[in-house]
Amino acid sequence: MDFTQTIWNDNSYQAYIEYLKSLADDKYKEFNSKITPISYESQIYGVRVPKMRDTAKLIAKGSFRAFLDYVDILDNKSLSHEEISIYGMVIGYAKLPFGELCQRIRTYASKVNNWACCDCPVSSFKEIKKYIEEYKIEIYRFLKSETPGNKESGL
């Protein structure tokens, strides 16, 4: 799969989904499905976290904005556990200016539908360390929200 492509469209994204499915581990899918609450619209392919991280790093080295922008137009309810997790990891691994980083994290938060889609990607948000004081405003926004990550919460 070519992750350096400059344009993401239906065809390239479908190839990406097939790539994710090729990485799936049935035993891990079974295990992960038991501990990860997901909505009935979502699904888990069973891709292990190290493979998701490797995939996200490859995307972040390419035209990551094209990837993120394409995923932004998709219906959140149709995204798999792995799609949401990798989306978040790409944000974490990409080199983004602070303002864009904050906006991308807000968009990512609107996609998170379970603890695992939050836990794994958040550890890749290392760029925030450069902006600890500035990012406190974002943290307070999330903490004050009754429904963090929900689009209706204003995040």
Side-chain angles (χ1 to χ4, degrees):
M1 169 98 211
D2 178 18
F3 292 111
T4 62
Q5 59 202 357
T6 57
I7 297 174
W8 283 80
N9 58 31
D10 292 346
N11 291 335
S12 57
Y13 198 79
Q14 188 56 46
Y16 165 67
I17 296 299
E18 294 305 316
Y19 172 77
L20 291 180
K21 289 178 180 178
S22 77
L23 299 176
D25 176 328
D26 289 337
K27 287 184 180 181
Y28 185 69
K29 175 182 178 177
E30 184 179 328
F31 165 76
N32 209 13
S33 295
K34 290 178 184 176
I35 64 168
T36 306
I38 58 170
S39 64
Y40 67 91
E41 298 99 344
S42 306
Q43 62 183 359
I44 295 176
Y45 297 130
V47 180
R48 292 183 178 272
V49 174
K51 290 185 179 190
M52 287 194 287
R53 288 192 195 290
D54 290 345
T55 301
K57 286 176 183 175
L58 291 171
I59 294 169
K61 288 180 183 174
S63 296
F64 62 85
R65 283 184 179 91
F67 171 81
L68 295 172
D69 291 345
Y70 183 81
V71 177
D72 285 346
I73 65 170
L74 300 175
D75 178 11
N76 288 348
K77 292 180 181 177
S78 70
L79 298 175
S80 70
H81 163 75
E82 288 83 356
E83 288 171 271
I84 296 168
S85 294
I86 292 171
Y87 176 93
M89 290 174 191
V90 169
I91 293 167
Y93 294 131
K95 301 295 182 207
L96 296 168
F98 180 70
E100 183 180 357
L101 176 65
C102 292
Q103 183 56 49
R104 296 282 188 179
I105 290 174
R106 283 186 223 128
T107 302
Y108 157 69
S110 73
K111 297 177 182 313
V112 172
N113 59 11
N114 66 66
W115 67 267
C117 285
C118 183
D119 274 12
C120 294
V122 166
S123 67
S124 69
F125 293 175
K126 299 193 185 324
E127 195 72 11
I128 290 174
K129 289 180 184 178
K130 294 179 184 176
Y131 306 103
I132 290 177
E133 286 304 311
E134 298 92 332
Y135 198 73
K136 285 181 181 177
I137 294 167
E138 295 295 313
I139 293 170
Y140 293 131
R141 185 181 302 192
F142 281 110
L143 290 174
K144 289 191 323 187
S145 173
E146 291 184 26
T147 54
N150 186 318
K151 284 186 179 183
E152 288 79 33
S153 69
L155 296 178

